[in-house]
């Protein structure tokens, strides 16, 4: 049985997903991002930086 944590690790290792504010901003600046998903409780200043 594959757990969510195992699947998440595999996706991160394959570089299909980026987790973290700083790494996400770097990828945005390089134009390497297709989609961004934000949590409901993300702070406003981070949300504005990403937008």
């Amino acid at each position: 049985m594959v757990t969510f944590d195992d699947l998440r690790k595999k996706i991160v290792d394959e570089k299909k997903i980026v987790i973290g504010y700083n790494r996400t901003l770097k990828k945005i600046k390089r134009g390497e991002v297709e989609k961004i998903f934000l949590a409901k409780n993300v702070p406003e200043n981070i949300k504005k930086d990403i937008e």
Side-chain angles (χ1 to χ4, degrees):
M1 178 182 216
V2 178
T3 66
F4 174 76
D5 197 43
D6 293 336
L7 183 59
R8 180 190 55 82
K9 286 178 186 177
K10 179 181 177 192
I11 292 171
V12 171
D13 289 343
E14 292 176 1
K15 301 194 189 292
K16 292 183 180 182
I17 189 171
V18 176
I19 298 173
Y21 172 68
N22 291 327
R23 286 194 276 168
T24 301
L25 282 183
K26 287 178 186 176
K27 294 276 187 181
I28 290 170
K29 290 177 183 176
R30 292 185 203 146
E32 300 174 354
V33 176
E34 290 182 23
K35 291 183 182 182
I36 297 174
F37 297 94
L38 298 174
K40 281 184 173 183
N41 62 346
V42 69
E44 273 302 309
N45 60 330
I46 291 176
K47 185 176 177 181
K48 287 180 182 180
D49 286 347
I50 291 175
E51 289 176 342

